[in-house]
Amino acid sequence: LACIERGVHVLVEKPIASTIEEGNEIIAAARRAGLTLMVGHVERFNPAVQAIKEAVRDDDILSIAITRVGPFPPRMSNVGVVIDLAVHDIDLIRWFTDSEIVEVQPQLSSAVAEREDIALLQFRTASGVLAHINTNWLTPFKARNVTVATRDKYVMGDLLTRQVTECFGFKPDGSYSMRHLPIGYDEPLRAELIAFLDAVRSRGLPAVTGARGVASLELATRGL
């Protein structure tokens, strides 16, 4: 808010704020000042994520499964895995499906941390897509995987190695074809900053608006 009051365009790290009310205050302040506000959901700019989005753009999506796990980060103290990690994937589910999430079914546990460090979140979108997020701070290594099932293909992406594989051409005998999709080389944070600057210069809508940031925060809060 202080930056907006000084007339500065703002790219704010996800989640947009600590609470939905604070997020709405930031949106209102930017709107009054005529400033660009973008929320830094940097995973949108991961080339593997963009390849998945393009692969399923015109398809009838049936389900999405996302795994985002790793060891406990010592820096973390004020939030659990839902706000720190799962909020990325809530945004991705809404982006992949171009549909709002209408049902949230959470299962949470605190095994070794003060706040939840295990979360299994199930969602249903308005378009009928079933989605699942598996996230924790108990896995000794980082993993970031996305799978999307449509009526005609099955897409698997590793967001760390940036490899995306598409299975298609399913036959009655169980056979199918596979191919690796071409992936860009953009560094996600750099691509995010360029998108923000483009939005400022053009005065167009940023890639992730304040409203979308608040919506993802609201869904994460419901998951808690």
Side-chain angles (χ1 to χ4, degrees):
L1 281 174
C3 291
I4 292 172
E5 290 169 356
R6 292 197 297 269
V8 179
H9 300 281
V10 176
L11 170 59
V12 59
E13 180 56 70
K14 66 79 193 170
I16 185 172
S18 299
T19 67
I20 297 166
E21 292 73 19
E22 289 177 358
N24 286 329
E25 288 179 14
I26 294 172
I27 293 172
R31 185 181 297 117
R32 288 194 301 269
L35 298 171
T36 298
L37 168 65
M38 177 168 153
V39 184
H41 281 278
V42 70
E43 200 72 280
R44 287 262 199 115
F45 299 90
N46 185 319
V49 168
Q50 295 183 339
I52 294 169
K53 169 69 172 178
E54 189 60 32
V56 303
R57 182 180 300 277
D58 299 318
D59 290 1
D60 185 6
I61 298 175
L62 302 177
S63 68
I64 299 173
I66 303 179
T67 297
R68 186 178 296 271
V69 297
F72 179 77
R75 62 177 173 80
M76 196 57 59
S77 60
N78 60 332
V79 297
V81 291
V82 173
I83 297 297
D84 183 48
L85 298 181
V87 72
H88 279 295
D89 304 313
I90 291 171
D91 176 68
L92 293 185
I93 290 167
R94 298 171 67 233
W95 190 50
F96 286 150
T97 62
D98 294 317
S99 181
E100 294 303 321
I101 292 171
V102 295
E103 293 181 25
V104 181
Q105 297 180 351
Q107 296 291 334
L108 310 174
S109 179
S110 299
V112 297
E114 180 180 349
R115 300 178 186 271
E116 85 284 350
D117 50 21
I118 307 171
L120 301 176
L121 308 174
Q122 293 184 329
F123 306 91
R124 183 188 296 272
T125 71
S127 58
V129 176
L130 299 181
H132 176 89
I133 296 174
N134 169 28
T135 186
N136 70 56
W137 282 331
L138 303 180
T139 307
F141 53 86
K142 277 189 176 182
R144 307 283 189 267
N145 299 304
V146 176
T147 59
V148 181
T150 78
R151 292 198 181 278
D152 300 313
K153 65 182 67 167
Y154 188 78
V155 180
M156 303 172 288
D158 186 319
L159 307 189
L160 296 180
T161 64
R162 298 183 185 175
Q163 293 181 319
V164 179
T165 303
E166 182 181 78
C167 304
F168 61 97
F170 304 108
K171 301 294 193 302
D173 63 2
S175 63
Y176 56 89
S177 300
M178 292 180 64
R179 64 179 176 181
H180 296 296
L181 300 182
I183 306 296
Y185 294 98
D186 282 349
E187 199 285 315
L189 182 56
R190 180 177 184 274
E192 180 184 69
L193 293 172
I194 290 173
F196 172 63
L197 292 175
D198 287 344
V200 171
R201 289 168 179 147
S202 68
R203 295 192 174 275
L205 281 179
V208 186
T209 64
R212 294 195 70 87
V214 166
S216 293
L217 175 60
E218 191 272 335
L219 288 162
T221 303
R222 285 170 58 187
L224 291 172

